Structures are given as C-alpha cells and as structure tokens.
Amino acid sequence: MWKSLMLSGVPFWSYIWGKETKRLATCNRPQHERLAKVETKGSSYDYFSWLSDVAPCYPIHGDDVLVLTEPKQFYEILKSKARKAKKRVTLASLYLGTETLEAELVDSVQEACSRAVKEGNKEFKVNVLLDYTRGSRGQTISSRTMLQPLLKHPDNNVKIALYHTPDLRGLYKLLIPDRFNETIGLTHVKAYIFDDSVIISGANLSDNYFTNRQDRYVLFNNCPDLADFFDNLVQTISKFSFQLQSDNTVTLHPQWKLHPYKGWKLTAFTTAARTEILNFIESVKSNKERLRQFEASTSNLAWTKHSEISSRNKQCDTWVYPLIQMKPFEIIFDEIATLSLFNEAAAKDEILLASGYFNLTDNYLETILKDSQAKFSILMAAPEVNGFYGAKGVAGLIPLAYIHIARVFYQSVCYFNQDKRIKMYEYTRPEWTFHVKGLWYYLPNDILPALTLIGSPNFGYRSVYRDLECQTAIVTDNDNLRKQLREEHVRLYQSSNPVNEAYLQRPDRQVSVWAKVLTSLIKSFF
C-alpha cells in the first residue's frame, strides 16, 4: 500500500483518510521480508521507513533527547525553560490548573515577557492553546483567569487561544451541562515549546500532573525544525479557535469568519479547519528534501568510521514523526500509523502498550487480537489509580467501566487462545494516579526498544474519534536514548500486577449490572 502511494506521486496528506482505515493500514509486505529486513538493516529507520509516507520525518541527534521520569522533574523543567526563553514560549494543553504551582508557571512565562520588553526584544512571542470548555470550567477562577496577567501588558506579544469543538452545538450546547459537555470533543494536544526545544507529553498543566500523577515526558533539546513544526501546528489550530481577550471575553481569530457552534454550518467549519491543517502539513518542508539533506550530511557514513564527517552528523541517529489525529476533520494519520505498526509487527517483535484509560477502539483491539503477530504487554490503570476513582455521581462509575472493558478483552484473548502472546497488567502505586500512554517497540532479539510512541492519545474512542490529538513516533539507533526508553518502560511495569482470571475474580474487581449497562451507553465518550 505504501509503495503504491509513493508511486502515485500524490502527497499523502491529499488523500481522504477515514474510509476503510483498517484496509489502508494493512501492509502487504510478507513476514519473511520483514524479518529479513531486520536481520540486514543498517538502522531502525530502515525497518520503520514506511512512516515517512504517513507523516513528516525529522532526523535529529539522539543525544539531544532526554526522557523525563517524574512529575516534579517535568514541572521544574517547564518553569526553567519558560523563564529563560528568548524567542518563544508555546504551550498546548487541555487546560491550566488553578493552584499555586500553576500560578508559578505563569509567573515564569511572565518573567520572560518582562525581560523581552526590557531588552526591546520584539521577536519574543507567547502562544497558548487550551480547550474552551475545560479551560472555562470554574465560576470565579479558571484557566482563563489564570492566564489574564499575560494579557495585561500591550507590549507583550501574547496570544491565548481556546479551541471549541464544532460538534458541541445546537441542542447539545443548550442541554448538556458543564463538565459533561467536555465529553463531546476537546483539543487534547500536549506540546510545550521553549525557543528551539520542545517537550512532548501526555501531561496537562495542573498541580497533580506536577506532583503525583504519573505520565510520560520526552524533552527534545536544540531541535529547531521539530520545535517549529509543533509551534506552527499550535498556531494553525489557534486560527480556528476563540481568542481570549484581556477582559476575559473571547472573539474569533481576525482571519477566521466561521463560528464553531453558532448556526447550522457544521460542515463549513469542519471543511475549512481540515483545509487549514492539511495546508499546514503540505507547507512543511517535504520528507524527500529533509531526508535528502540528512543522507547528504551522512553519505552513508553514519554507520561507518569515516573521520571526515562531523561529530554532530555522526549523532544524526534518531527520526521523529509527528502523527496528527483529528477525526472531527477527517484527519487520521495517527490511527493509520498505529494500525500499521500493529499489522507490520512480526512474530518475534514485542510491543509494550500503555493506556491510562483502557478503552481501545474495536479496530485496535481486533487488530491486536486477530491480525498482529507480535507479543503484546498491555499496561492499564488499576481502579484505585484511575483519575476518576472516588468521584461523585456517574463519573465514579468510570473506573468500573474500564474494569468491565478489560475483562471482556481478556476473555476474548483467552477464547482465541492468545493468552501466551497477549498479556495484560494493572499499574498500582499508593497515593498516585496513572495517566501514562504510548508504546515501546522491540525488534527481534534486541534488548533495547527501536521505536516509541509518545503524546496525547490514549488509543481509545475519544482519542481516535472525538478529540484533537498528536503524538510522535520516535525511531532511534542511539544507545543512550534507547536505554532511557527501556528504563522508562521497566520502571512503569515494575509497579504493575498481571491480569488473569484469578485476579479478575477478586471482590474489588467485580462490576455491577448497572455499571455494565452504563459502559455500553457511554463507551464512545471516554
């Protein structure tokens, strides 16, 4: 399939994805060819080179990448990077919390703004993208009010955008109460850019994500092209989002005339937004040009000992692919890539997949169960470390819904005699919650991962069908980075228990009939 796309000469982003997704994502390359490629490959890039047909590719230096491990480390780097920024600060998150730690983060951005004004640095800019419904939650204090100090000074080049899903309109907008309206759709993109560095994570900007909510975070230092990509992605989404004003009101972007929820022109908004995103991707320097530059800089010497090549070029051993998923606009590059990874996987490959909210789509589950040949180790949250554990009302039943979904999948695994190939684990850690997502991919007979997916998607219904998402595929031959990724996965899985029949028979893993019925009704909303 990928070969046919390349031969057609038509850019990959010009295709209308979304029809027969699973068929499109099925690779036609026989397994013996895949195994032979692993045995003879010069790099991990050779094995995963098909990703260049799905997304832009950014060759970088693995030594510039740092895998963060703890929320506090993530928070301190956010503040430090923001405070020292001289060119830009771009923050994309679901929301900004309203406690002391979040206020200190805003102060760090404000410090950079004040320094830019003092130094006459008119090039410095701040862009923030949050979700409108989640960012507006709160009667007197909200994400919006927390950000007001950044808008008080006209000399500061600060823009704050609030994305509102076009699906929340009409009777939905009128009847669905606050908090519940967030289930219709959100921007869930998480990217934090400071000058030429970027942090890709699944974590939001909130105090629990800075203290005791376990997530993943990868810092790319000195990667200007990659930072530009995410900065421009945020600005593109911001164009069809509301613009926050200094008096806490919102307006449309000056270059955007379509309201996200007023009127009946849903298709007009979604079509225009889709065009903006696709035009942005098309404007990105083509893969061919970027890869040609990379190949020219290494001239096949990246895997040899030629002394002529600079030490920095020798370190060009890592490839980053941003994968966008925006099903409301029929943009599903992340889904295509993820299904392809599962379908491409050979019998000796191993995939470790984590989801804070185990509600994988039928496409993903069926592919893992019936089509993929790889070994899978699936890590999910135990009920007591689920973010909804102990919540009031219907939300308190959500952890039980995840138990029920996991039980049904486990029973399917056993029914198809796949329990030797597919393992399931529950993460547990006292006084912590679990928000980890992504995967680690091991090629045959290799003790270090060759690829990881990291970013905002949970592989669930919301991620695939309702929200705006983006994650990155990182393919690497850098041993230091690969060791960091292995240490990350080992540390997370060490805090887990295997899921088996005896485990599911525990009294605290039993699900009421009411919870099962509720799960069937709300499954597509979380």
Side-chain angles (χ1 to χ4, degrees), residues 305-323:
K305 297 182 179 180
H306 288 243
S307 59
E308 295 85 356
I309 196 167
S310 70
S311 60
R312 185 163 180 80
N313 282 336
K314 282 184 179 179
Q315 297 167 16
C316 257
D317 48 17
T318 300
W319 301 264
V320 183
Y321 303 85
L323 301 169

Side-chain angles (χ1 to χ4, degrees), residues 3 52 68 255 285 290 322:
K3 184 176 181 181
S52 295
L68 311 182
Q255 299 177 15
K285 188 165 56 175
R290 192 181 302 107

